[in-house]
Amino acid sequence: MLVEVAVAAAVRGTFTYRVPPHLIRQVELGRRVAVPFGKSRRATGYVVGFPAAAPAGVELRELVELLDDAPLFTPKLIELLRWAEDYYLVPPGELLRAALPPGLNARAGQQAPTRRGVEFAAPAPGAQEALSTLSRRARAQHGVLEYLLARGRIPVEELRTAFPKGRAALSTLATRGLVLLDTESIRPSGGLLPASAQAPVLTSAQADALAEVNAALGSFTPFLLHGVTGSGKTEVYLQAIAHARTTGKGALVLVPEIALTPQLAGRFRARFGDTVALLHSGLSASERHAEWLRLRNGEASICVGVRSAIFAPVQDLGIVVVDEEHDGSFKQEDGPGYHARDLAVVRAKLESAVCILGSATPSLESLENARSGRYRKLSLPARIDDRPMPAVEILDLSRGNRGAPLPGLLSPQLLDALAATLAANQQSILFLNRRGYQTLILCRDCGREEQCPACSVSLTFHARRNVLVCHYCGHKEPMTPVCPACGGPRGGVGVGTEQVEEAVRAALPSARVDRLDRDSVSGADETAAVLARFARRETDVLIGTQMVTKGHDFPGVTLVGVILADTALALPDFRAAERTFQLLAQVAGRAGRGAEPGRVLVQTFHPDSPAVACAVAHDYGRFTEQELDRRRAYGYPPFGRLLAVRITGSDQGARACAEALGDAARPVLGRDVAMLGPAPAVIERLRGQSRWHILFKASHPSSLGRIHAALAQIARRPPGHASIRFDRDPNSML
Ligand code: ADP
Ligand code: ZN
């Protein structure tokens, strides 16, 4: 008897082993095994098949041992992983390893903890007053209590998601009587929970969408659910999953980032109790492992998780949901590069499940699939309660403001709007997708631009810490006012969030200002604390990067200012316009979610660019119409398929390798594949390594398989000791 084993290492292909007689009865698909590999006596691998015959000329070795007491992967998951290995051109063992929770090796065989009921936390009466008496040093307790005061009684799961390190703080607060904890038990029938989690009566648009999904349960049916922000998409997912559960089926829900949207975790837990398992990076390795085990044992049947949860062992999968399906975070960028949104559709097909891709701004790929009839389209055209979409106005920075520079890029109109909002006791959000104080430091005499010594990118000046930082590799150096080359005076240009904050504080001294970006907060706990203060209206103006575009629903926000809409437009990437449109639509959706109508001001140097103009008009249809025409004309996705080959190494090694790959590909291109490059990447150097790219553009996916086959030989032994990465359906063009 023979087994095909994917070895957990960065090697391409699988290996065949003989099964010793005493193991023949136990060996199963998906089992973790120990095998001899190369010179080492033992490596870990996974059984992925049972070949009838061994490859010719290979001396077979024997399986050493079976690990764990049951398979780690269901046969369907093995099928999915093999599909992904083939399509994404990644080593199978690496993919299998990425599919397992971290720390599995150390903990194999451990029992999952059983839970009873759903825990809720609420601020105790008097907690508001007690907040000021808490020691300033008890920052974690402050954060947790602020959050609870902002949110009221919520499932503890939401709190855990928002404050991964806040466990001790919560129990201290409970002991001191500032927080009340209680547990709602789950009904034995597994039905819905009591009042706190009752489902609302659906609007007719929601009911129509739900009816279509429910009717399709049991067969592979992909849906695109297009609904504006706040139109009730999540409620449709919840009720579709509730229906699937009544037929005994499980569900998988993928979301871009759980830490920024803790309410979502709480909503699922409140509705479905313990049958929900959460998988995200805010959990410790042992918690993730425990959640994973609960799914594998069938104790939990609904999984809510981020990208890697696409491989979660949900049993008898009936429905797969991808929320915010357009989000770039579903693409794994290093290691095995898969796209979880696309794999969600493949997994649904393998498991005969329904698949819902939901978004307010669907990706052009999904839109085209809906237009061509591959996906069925569902629409939620209006916000719940028919709340109007906010009015969006453009402030054209290229006109009228010439001459005196705007401090922190704040135009007089935006400053007036901020002051008026403050005077009305309402809140504002300012969004700019660039961190730091100034994004470029240059010498006024010799013109030298300060670059990272290891990367071909400019260093960003961070004023508070007085350092220059590389945002790609983390290199730091002290900022000095003189040029290291000629001794001339240096100055900075390019506004970042830190400078916006300074300018707002100077212009509105009475405003309470806070900033949310990766410099001002470290980790989910601090993020949650900043958002909680904002939700409690202790902050008037919140400034930040895209971290402020997601997350909570803030009813007090009536003004959203986009400091510069153009930052993403200028990137050399065919998706630049699409990303800009999505980002603007997202951030505009933050305004006017309460009783007061919202106002959005968008500052831009390119008011006529389609992405900006259409986002301002809330016109998804017109934007996508134009953008699809452009993509069609240039053969870009969704019309053409892309394969990027990324080469890194020494200056000479990377070049030699890239040229060898180019030479190997040229004869097999044919008329259906275009090759761009080989050429140095947009970011030519990263972490001291030289980078080259080749981009292949084909009208059919199968043509790219032919190209890969021609290059695979070289990839096995890359010239110049370079390293080669195949990136199918690349997300980043940098
Ligand atoms: P989306 O996912 O499209 O942003 P949600 O499902 O989160 O929208 O709904 C937005 C808000 O409206 C939420 O607070 C939700 O609880 C509420 N909501 C959703 N559907 C209904 C409904 N049919 N009736 C009343 N409130 C609803
Ligand atoms: Zn660097």
Side-chain angles (χ1 to χ4, degrees), residues 97 101 110 142 297 417 544 560 655 663 666 725:
R97 190 165 48 180
Q110 181 185 298
H142 258 277
N297 302 342
V560 167
R655 169 193 283 268
D663 292 345
R666 219 162 274 121
R725 185 163 174 263

Side-chain angles (χ1 to χ4, degrees), residues 200-203 206 228-235 267 384:
V201 178
L202 295 181
T203 64
Q206 284 174 317
V228 296
T229 48
S231 60
K233 295 184 291 296
T234 310
E235 194 53 47
R267 258 168 104 180
I384 296 289

Side-chain angles (χ1 to χ4, degrees), residues 431-497:
F431 163 68
L432 175 62
N433 216 1
R434 289 196 306 216
R435 299 185 282 131
Y437 192 84
Q438 284 159 333
T439 53
L440 181 67
I441 295 294
L442 34 79
C443 173
R444 305 233 184 266
D445 283 350
C446 73
R448 171 187 160 117
E449 296 179 4
E450 220 44 60
Q451 289 223 324
C452 174
C455 312
S456 55
V457 297
S458 3
L459 294 174
T460 301
F461 174 46
H462 288 252
R464 203 178 55 75
R465 291 180 293 152
N466 197 42
V467 287
L468 298 174
V469 182
C470 172
H471 284 179
Y472 286 83
C473 75
H475 166 84
K476 277 194 198 74
E477 57 186 70
M479 167 68 178
T480 55
V482 294
C483 172
C486 76
R490 295 207 289 186
V493 294
V495 171
T497 45

Side-chain angles (χ1 to χ4, degrees), residues 666-706:
R666 219 162 274 121
V668 295
L669 289 177
R671 279 199 311 191
D672 52 338
V673 182
M675 176 166 82
L676 287 76
V682 176
I683 297 175
E684 278 182 50
R685 290 175 67 72
L686 200 60
R687 296 183 183 89
Q689 297 240 296
S690 191
R691 305 168 80 230
W692 283 66
H693 280 183
I694 312 176
L695 188 66
F696 295 97
K697 205 156 64 165
S699 39
H700 282 287
S702 57
S703 315
L704 292 175
R706 184 179 80 230

Side-chain angles (χ1 to χ4, degrees), residues 279-301:
L279 289 176
H280 62 92
S281 53
L283 302 178
S284 69
S286 66
E287 286 169 321
R288 255 154 107 179
H289 181 231
E291 291 292 86
W292 189 89
L293 275 180
R294 296 201 308 122
L295 287 166
R296 201 195 69 180
N297 302 342
E299 200 185 310
S301 59

Side-chain angles (χ1 to χ4, degrees), residues 297 428 639:
N297 302 342
S428 309
F639 302 104

